[in-house]
């Protein structure tokens, strides 16, 4: 274990596991900035080192520690050799103990001004990003003494003096804030996960690694494994605990009927409702858990259920009863019989169980719990490949444009060599922005063009279909909504009177579905021999993902009207 000498600012090494030889030390908790310094920079300082903000933080923190008599301080940025994987793994697995064993922890909230009234509504203290980071959770709970400092290193208060306010901000029990060391076993897995449910880390894996000390487990670091790290954390917990509240998570976004999952959560965010979930004996024998090649093996009391929406097929649905309840003002089931046990929906398909409707929890009364029968079941955790979109988004922008000089063959052309200008209606550029609304959203639009000196008309119909689904998004490690967008079009070269009347009435008649085009390059010969070039290209505009839709024609060709949100009918007529 390395410590910084507060007088010399030199690093000194001490044997980590020989505690009597480690002097009293202070420790820093902070959010990393863009100019932090490393171990190597501290060991071989350069003239530019002192100008770095990270170094100034070390100097200020060391001065504060020295003013209270501490000869040493530990700071994560420069006391760990992050180029050494063995040392990094040991440090992260020991981090909770580092903070627990420190005499005092200085929590530096760089985004809180010196004149801030911490208790005021909307205060900088309440809104500090320090309360949103995954790593600072253990840095809040593990040390007995925490002193908060603002951006100018002025004392804001202590964990003890600000206990009620911190509990309000974090939803962490005051008992956990000021007595976790002796009470850690009193809090359920669901409660501890809930404390982390609104926190984030820069790296996906760190959302699991930052919780190891809180749960008292150790495991190797495998950066690059993604969300599998959180799965490994839960499996480590199952090896040492019979706490079934680990299964009392709830998907935070409604899922499709019959959507199936395993018994393990994707992220702490799924325990967001777990602050009051406590362990309770169901009266049934406790079950051991084990992960096998066919899934998680567990024995649970099951009840038949017809409430869950399930997939078509030979499916039987059960309610699995978990050994946990919600605490209301300190009351449990034995104190207040109307309280309910947590239940989750399981489907039995082909001898295997899966969790269905994971956004739902069923509360089960004590009498029903007693009547349930125990079943040994296998629940696979991975039900299929999970490929989230690389950049999920809710908004799509469609920009309609034309070339100043259309090319002879759009399929082999280089659009970068030609100028594009937007189609306009009056003085307004034609742009459409779509936002996912509900689970599925479909829009039908028609652009009406006239040509041949206004004697002929052409319609370009396009369809946008947005499908919303729930998945674990890795950029923030919260479960979120993702949206799948599809685009198809149909060009009707010759508009008749009946077609015009339909458009005016807000209707559009399409040929049979098979003749709609989803390709991104096409062309069509118009009445009189002109060629209409149609192309769709991916891009980015006005802060949104965009599709640039090209409709280009040589000669006389004018956009005269756009019809939006049409009602759609279909016919078997041939496409133009």
């Amino acid at each position: 274990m390395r410590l910084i000498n507060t007088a010399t600012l030199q690093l000194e090494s001490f044997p980590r596991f020989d505690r009597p030889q480690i002097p009293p030390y202070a420790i820093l908790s902070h959010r990393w900035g863009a100019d932090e310094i490393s171990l190597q920079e501290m060991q071989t300082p350069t003239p530019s080192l002192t100008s770095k903000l990270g170094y100034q933080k070390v100097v200020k923190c060391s001065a504060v520690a020295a003013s209270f008599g501490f000869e040493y301080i530990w700071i994560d940025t420069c006391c760990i050799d992050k180029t050494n994987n063995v040392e990094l793994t040991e440090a992260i697995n020991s981090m909770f103990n580092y903070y627990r064993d420190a005499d005092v922890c200085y929590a530096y909230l760089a985004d809180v001004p010196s004149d801030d009234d911490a208790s005021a509504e909307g205060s900088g203290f309440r809104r500090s990003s320090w309360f949103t980071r995954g790593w600072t959770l253990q840095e809040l709970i593990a040390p007995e003494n925490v002193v908060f400092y603002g951006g100018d290193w002025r004392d804001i208060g202590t964990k003890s003096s600000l206990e009620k306010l911190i509990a309000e901000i974090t939803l962490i029990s005051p008992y956990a804030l000021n007595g976790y060391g002796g009470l850690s076993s009193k809090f359920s897995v669901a409660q501890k996960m809930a404390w982390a449910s609104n926190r984030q880390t820069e790296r996906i894996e760190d959302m699991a690694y930052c919780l190891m000390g809180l749960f008292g487990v150790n495991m190797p670091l495998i950066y690059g494994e993604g969300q599998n790290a959180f799965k490994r954390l839960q499996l480590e917990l199952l090896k040492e605990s019979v706490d079934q509240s680990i299964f009392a998570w709830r998907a935070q976004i409604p899922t499709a009927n019959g959507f199936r999952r395993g018994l393990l959560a994707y992220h702490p965010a799924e325990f967001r409702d777990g602050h009051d979930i406590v362990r309770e004996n169901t009266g049934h024998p406790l079950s051991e858990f084990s992960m096998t090649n066919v899934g998680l093996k567990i024995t649970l009391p099951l009840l038949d259920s017809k409430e869950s929406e399930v997939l078509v097929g030979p499916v039987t649905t059960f309610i699995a009863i978990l050994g946990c309840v919600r605490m209301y003002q300190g009351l449990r089931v034995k104190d207040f019989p109307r309280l309910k046990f947590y239940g989750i929906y399981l489907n039995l398909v082909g001898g295997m169980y899966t969790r269905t409707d994971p956004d739902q929890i069923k509360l089960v009364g004590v009498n029903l719990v007693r009547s349930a029968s125990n079943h040994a079941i296998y629940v696979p955790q991975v039900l299929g490949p999970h490929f989230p979109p690389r950049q999920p988004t809710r908004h799509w922008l469609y920009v309609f444009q034309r070339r100043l000089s259309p090319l002879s063959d759009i399929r082999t052309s280089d659009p970068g060599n030609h100028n594009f200008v937007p189609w306009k209606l009056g003085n307004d550029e034609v742009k459409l922005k779509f936002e996912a609304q509900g689970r599925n959203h479909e829009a039908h639009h028609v652009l009406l063009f006239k040509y041949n000196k206004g004697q002929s008309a052409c319609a370009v119909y396009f369809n946008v279909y947005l499908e919303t689904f729930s998945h674990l998004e890795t950029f923030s490690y919260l479960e979120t909504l993702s949206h799948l967008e599809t685009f198809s079009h149909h060009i009707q070269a010759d508009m008749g009177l009946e077609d015009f009347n339909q458009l005016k009435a807000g209707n559009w008649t399409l040929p049979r579905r098979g003749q709609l085009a989803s390709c991104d390059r096409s062309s069509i010969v118009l009445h009189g021999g002109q060629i209409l070039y149609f192309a769709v290209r991916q891009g980015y505009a006005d802060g949104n993902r965009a599709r640039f839709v090209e409709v280009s024609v040589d000669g006389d060709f004018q956009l005269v009207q756009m019809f939006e949100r049409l009602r759609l009918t279909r016919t078997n007529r041939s496409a133009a």
Side-chain angles (χ1 to χ4, degrees):
M1 182 181 190
R2 296 184 188 87
L3 295 172
I4 299 172
N5 187 305
T6 59
T8 65
L9 297 185
Q10 297 297 309
L11 288 165
E12 299 182 21
S13 296
F14 298 88
R16 172 65 189 94
F17 296 108
D18 190 3
R19 176 60 183 162
Q21 295 186 29
I22 297 179
Y25 65 92
I27 197 167
L28 175 66
S29 173
H30 64 122
R31 278 212 61 190
W32 282 35
D35 208 18
E36 301 293 348
I37 60 173
S38 66
L39 170 75
Q40 288 73 23
E41 289 177 297
M42 284 290 287
Q43 290 176 328
T44 56
T46 62
S48 61
L49 178 65
T50 57
S51 63
K52 287 192 170 185
L53 294 177
Y55 184 77
Q56 295 301 318
K57 190 189 300 184
V58 172
V59 172
K60 292 283 189 181
C61 189
S62 297
V64 170
S67 70
F68 289 101
F70 289 102
E71 296 181 9
Y72 295 96
I73 189 167
W74 189 90
I75 301 176
D76 56 355
T77 53
C78 52
C79 288
I80 304 172
D81 183 0
K82 299 175 187 64
T83 65
N84 185 322
N85 288 334
V86 173
E87 181 176 329
L88 179 62
T89 297
E90 179 185 350
I92 290 181
N93 275 275
S94 304
M95 196 78 69
F96 188 90
N97 295 336
Y98 288 177
Y99 281 88
R100 180 199 62 197
D101 294 344
D103 285 75
V104 64
C105 173
Y106 300 136
Y108 177 58
L109 279 55
D111 52 357
V112 178
S114 59
D115 59 349
D116 185 67
D117 180 0
S119 61
E121 288 295 328
S123 67
F125 185 80
R126 288 178 181 270
R127 294 182 289 106
S128 176
S129 60
W130 189 88
F131 290 109
T132 70
R133 309 312 298 173
W135 288 107
T136 57
L137 175 60
Q138 66 179 358
E139 296 163 14
L140 171 65
I141 290 178
E144 181 180 353
N145 301 303
V146 179
V147 183
F148 292 92
Y149 289 89
D152 59 356
W153 286 96
R154 293 189 182 181
D155 186 330
I156 298 173
T158 66
K159 180 167 70 169
S160 177
S161 66
L162 298 170
E163 176 186 290
K164 291 183 179 179
L165 177 58
I166 295 171
E168 180 183 340
I169 295 170
T170 63
L171 300 180
I172 298 174
S173 166
Y175 296 107
L177 290 174
N178 283 308
Y180 185 78
L183 297 173
S184 60
S185 62
K186 301 296 183 182
F187 299 100
S188 70
V189 169
Q191 285 176 300
K192 296 175 186 179
M193 290 290 190
W195 300 341
S197 61
N198 289 311
R199 294 174 179 261
Q200 302 177 24
T201 56
E202 292 297 327
R203 304 185 72 164
I204 304 166
E205 300 86 353
D206 282 341
M207 200 63 245
Y209 302 157
C210 73
L211 298 177
M212 292 191 298
L214 193 68
F215 287 105
V217 300
N218 299 101
M219 61 186 197
L221 311 185
I222 310 175
Y223 283 107
E225 66 175 324
Q227 68 186 65
N228 188 62
F230 190 63
K231 174 185 173 183
R232 287 200 297 127
L233 175 68
Q234 293 171 89
L235 292 177
E236 289 296 323
L237 294 178
L238 291 175
K239 292 178 184 178
E240 302 181 11
S241 171
V242 293
D243 185 349
Q244 295 179 358
S245 73
I246 194 172
F247 307 125
W249 53 268
R250 187 171 67 85
Q252 295 298 298
I253 297 169
T255 53
N257 290 342
F259 184 78
R260 296 179 295 159
R261 293 266 301 267
L263 283 181
L264 302 182
Y266 284 160
H267 188 271
E270 298 190 310
F271 290 91
R272 190 167 291 151
D273 303 323
H275 292 278
D276 297 322
I277 296 178
V278 295
R279 296 184 295 271
E280 185 60 57
N281 191 343
T282 63
H284 293 266
L286 291 176
S287 169
E288 65 177 17
F289 316 134
S290 61
M291 180 58 76
T292 72
N293 62 322
V294 292
L296 182 65
K297 180 183 178 182
I298 184 174
T299 300
L300 289 172
L302 301 183
L303 292 170
D304 289 338
S305 171
K306 297 182 181 179
E307 299 182 31
S308 177
E309 297 285 347
V310 297
L311 298 171
V312 176
V315 178
T316 305
T317 304
F318 298 91
I319 297 173
I321 300 167
L322 306 177
C324 55
V325 299
R326 185 174 296 280
M327 187 191 310
Y328 293 94
Q329 298 178 347
L331 299 179
R332 299 185 181 214
V333 168
K334 59 187 177 183
D335 305 313
F336 194 39
R338 284 181 293 174
L339 293 183
K340 311 286 187 178
F341 280 88
Y342 269 65
I344 57 176
Y345 292 105
L346 298 180
N347 278 351
L348 175 59
V349 185
M352 302 295 291
Y353 289 81
T354 57
R355 181 168 176 183
T356 188
D357 301 327
D359 59 315
Q360 298 181 30
I361 291 289
K362 177 67 175 178
L363 298 179
V364 183
V366 177
N367 291 335
L368 278 177
V369 170
R370 292 169 179 166
S371 67
S373 56
N374 273 9
H375 294 264
I377 63 176
Y378 291 86
V379 185
Q381 176 62 14
V382 180
L383 302 178
H386 178 68
F387 301 110
R390 287 176 294 178
Q391 277 190 305
T393 180
R394 296 185 55 87
H395 303 95
W396 285 263
L397 184 68
Y398 286 77
V399 180
F400 295 89
Q401 55 184 204
R402 60 186 176 89
R403 296 174 189 247
L404 290 177
S405 301
L407 300 177
S408 58
D409 188 356
I410 198 170
R411 297 178 187 276
T412 60
S413 66
D414 179 5
N417 295 331
H418 299 271
N419 293 326
F420 287 91
V421 294
W423 279 109
K424 291 186 176 182
L425 283 173
N427 295 322
D428 298 326
E429 296 181 6
V430 180
K431 295 181 181 179
L432 290 174
K433 187 174 182 180
F434 295 98
E435 179 175 359
Q437 299 173 355
R439 183 161 299 282
N440 299 316
H441 178 69
E442 190 168 18
H444 310 278
H445 300 259
V446 166
L447 297 179
L448 180 63
F449 297 88
K450 287 193 176 181
Y451 62 101
N452 193 20
K453 297 182 179 180
Q455 300 302 308
S456 302
C458 170
V460 177
Y461 161 85
F462 63 95
N463 164 259
V464 177
Y465 177 75
L466 307 179
E467 180 178 359
T468 302
F469 56 95
S470 170
H471 79 98
L472 184 69
E473 177 46 49
T474 58
F475 63 79
S476 65
Y477 229 1
L478 300 177
E479 185 181 37
T480 186
L481 288 178
S482 288
H483 310 280
L484 178 66
E485 175 248 16
T486 57
F487 175 91
S488 58
H489 72 277
H490 167 67
I491 302 172
Q492 187 170 330
D494 191 12
M495 295 282 292
L497 179 60
E498 180 182 347
D499 297 316
F500 280 116
N501 291 335
Q502 287 286 324
L503 276 179
K504 291 178 182 179
N507 299 312
W508 178 252
T509 302
L510 273 178
R512 58 185 177 272
R513 182 179 295 275
Q515 293 184 339
L516 278 178
S518 59
C519 60
D520 57 6
R521 301 289 191 277
S522 64
S523 61
I524 189 171
V525 179
L526 301 177
H527 180 71
Q530 293 170 282
I531 298 178
L532 181 150
Y533 298 103
F534 180 89
V536 183
R537 300 178 179 88
Q538 305 294 333
Y540 201 78
D542 300 342
N544 294 276
R545 276 183 164 180
R547 286 186 186 266
F548 292 89
V549 182
E550 177 192 353
V551 181
S552 295
V553 180
D554 282 318
D556 175 32
F557 196 77
Q558 300 293 324
L559 175 62
V560 294
Q561 196 169 353
M562 178 169 62
F563 297 88
E564 303 180 55
R565 298 177 180 84
L566 297 170
R567 295 180 296 274
L568 191 66
T569 58
R570 296 183 183 274
T571 182
N572 288 326
R573 72 183 184 188
S574 299

